[in-house]
Amino acid sequence: MASAKPKKKNPRLASGRKRVRQDIKINAANSSLRSKYRTAVKNVEKAVLTGDKTKATELFAKMQAVVDTIADKGIFHKNKAARDKSRLSAKVKALALAAA
């Protein structure tokens, strides 16, 4: 049987209540950005798998911009962003060499 999460208590201080309101908004924004990041990476990977060189390079350029902005905001670590860009860049280059 799954254990139920203990219900969180509401903060008493006004600053604590405000912090909870802010956290909800920030969490929603960060979740949206994380999703955008993952979608951009997935789109490039799909294009590489289908073997579409032009689409892959076009999507890779868009993905780089998304990844950089999200890494700058600290949603994902900059090293993770660099690693993802590097790996996808290698895949796109390999696709371009195979097609040539």
Side-chain angles (χ1 to χ4, degrees):
M1 230 171 149
S3 62
K5 276 187 172 178
K7 189 176 179 188
K8 292 189 177 182
K9 295 180 181 177
N10 289 333
R12 289 185 184 190
L13 297 177
S15 60
R17 290 195 299 268
K18 181 179 179 182
R19 189 73 223 172
V20 169
R21 287 196 308 271
Q22 288 175 332
D23 287 344
I24 291 168
K25 287 182 184 177
I26 292 167
N27 187 26
N30 288 350
S31 297
S32 172
L33 289 172
R34 268 193 302 274
S35 175
K36 188 176 182 181
Y37 179 102
R38 291 183 180 130
T39 303
V41 170
K42 266 189 245 176
N43 287 340
V44 176
E45 287 177 344
K46 283 181 187 175
V48 168
L49 284 176
T50 57
D52 191 352
K53 183 182 117 182
T54 55
K55 188 175 180 184
T57 52
E58 178 187 319
L59 287 172
F60 180 73
K62 289 180 183 176
M63 185 272 307
Q64 277 184 305
V66 170
V67 166
D68 286 336
T69 55
I70 291 172
D72 287 341
K73 290 181 181 185
I75 307 300
F76 281 112
H77 197 276
K78 62 186 172 84
N79 290 357
K80 176 184 170 37
R83 182 176 64 238
D84 286 346
K85 286 194 306 185
S86 175
R87 287 177 180 169
L88 285 174
S89 175
K91 288 180 182 179
V92 171
K93 282 182 184 176
L95 182 68
L97 290 174

